[in-house]
């Protein structure tokens, strides 16, 4: 999976973060093994076709594989100095509210599954629901 021009142009002045390249490699590896990443609700994007509800300053990097739900960097119209520190939002076109801030940055976004046993940011009520993993 290589990043297509439509997604490269969405990055504009920003360098594509190294971790995004590594996630693409991981996605490619598992896809080559016959594993459909949508079964875990996290697929790396290789192209970009925004929904009408997608913020114009959002740079997408992944989707869930269903209902147009996608994740991206919110750049504050180019004011964020680098994408590693950009807030991460989830766009869920069929929910109200359709846009939710879900992490302060990419690292925080990526560690959520390891910090919580069960989590759902996409529940019908639009509220974040988490059950903290026990430490015992």
């Amino acid at each position: 999976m290589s990043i297509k021009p439509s997604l490269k142009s969405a990055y504009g002045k920003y360098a594509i973060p190294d971790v995004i390249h590594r996630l693409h490699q991981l996605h490619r590896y598992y896809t080559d093994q016959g594993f459909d990443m949508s079964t875990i609700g996290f697929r790396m994007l290789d192209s970009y076709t925004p929904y009408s509800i997608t913020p114009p300053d959002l740079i997408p990097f992944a989707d869930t594989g269903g209902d147009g739900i996608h994740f991206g960097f919110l750049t504050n119209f180019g004011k964020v100095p680098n994408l590693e520190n950009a807030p991460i939002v989830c766009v869920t076109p069929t929910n109200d509210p359709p846009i939710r801030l879900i992490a302060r940055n990419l690292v925080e976004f990526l560690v959520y599954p390891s910090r919580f046993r069960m989590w759902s940011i996409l529940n019908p009520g639009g509220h974040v629901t988490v059950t903290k993993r026990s430490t015992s």
Side-chain angles (χ1 to χ4, degrees):
M1 165 201 270
S2 62
I3 298 174
K4 296 181 179 158
S6 62
L7 186 55
K8 282 184 182 176
S9 69
Y11 278 88
K13 72 175 189 172
Y14 292 102
I16 299 172
D18 215 30
V19 70
I20 295 297
H21 286 294
R22 289 184 297 203
L23 286 168
H24 274 278
Q25 290 172 340
L26 188 64
H27 184 123
R28 191 170 32 254
Y29 171 80
Y30 282 112
T31 300
D32 290 348
Q33 300 299 314
F35 182 73
D36 180 1
M37 297 296 283
S38 64
T39 60
I40 63 168
F42 189 78
R43 301 183 318 175
M44 294 304 294
L45 293 175
D46 65 347
S47 63
Y48 180 49
T49 306
Y51 285 79
S52 60
I53 196 71
T54 302
D57 62 332
L58 180 113
I59 300 173
F61 60 84
D63 69 16
T64 63
D67 296 329
I69 300 167
H70 54 287
F71 305 98
F73 302 102
L74 196 61
T75 67
N76 195 19
F77 296 96
K79 293 179 183 171
V80 171
N82 62 60
L83 295 179
E84 288 83 1
N85 296 316
I88 306 298
V89 297
C90 178
V91 179
T92 54
T94 58
N95 285 357
D96 186 22
I99 302 165
R100 283 177 252 145
L101 175 67
I102 58 171
R104 291 176 291 189
N105 55 50
L106 186 58
V107 169
E108 185 176 275
F109 172 77
L110 293 172
V111 300
Y112 275 146
S114 69
R115 293 181 60 203
F116 299 101
R117 180 171 44 92
M118 295 178 61
W119 65 301
S120 172
I121 58 170
L122 308 174
N123 68 20
H127 304 286
V128 175
T129 303
V130 293
T131 304
K132 192 161 176 102
R133 192 181 269 168
S134 80
T135 56
S136 55

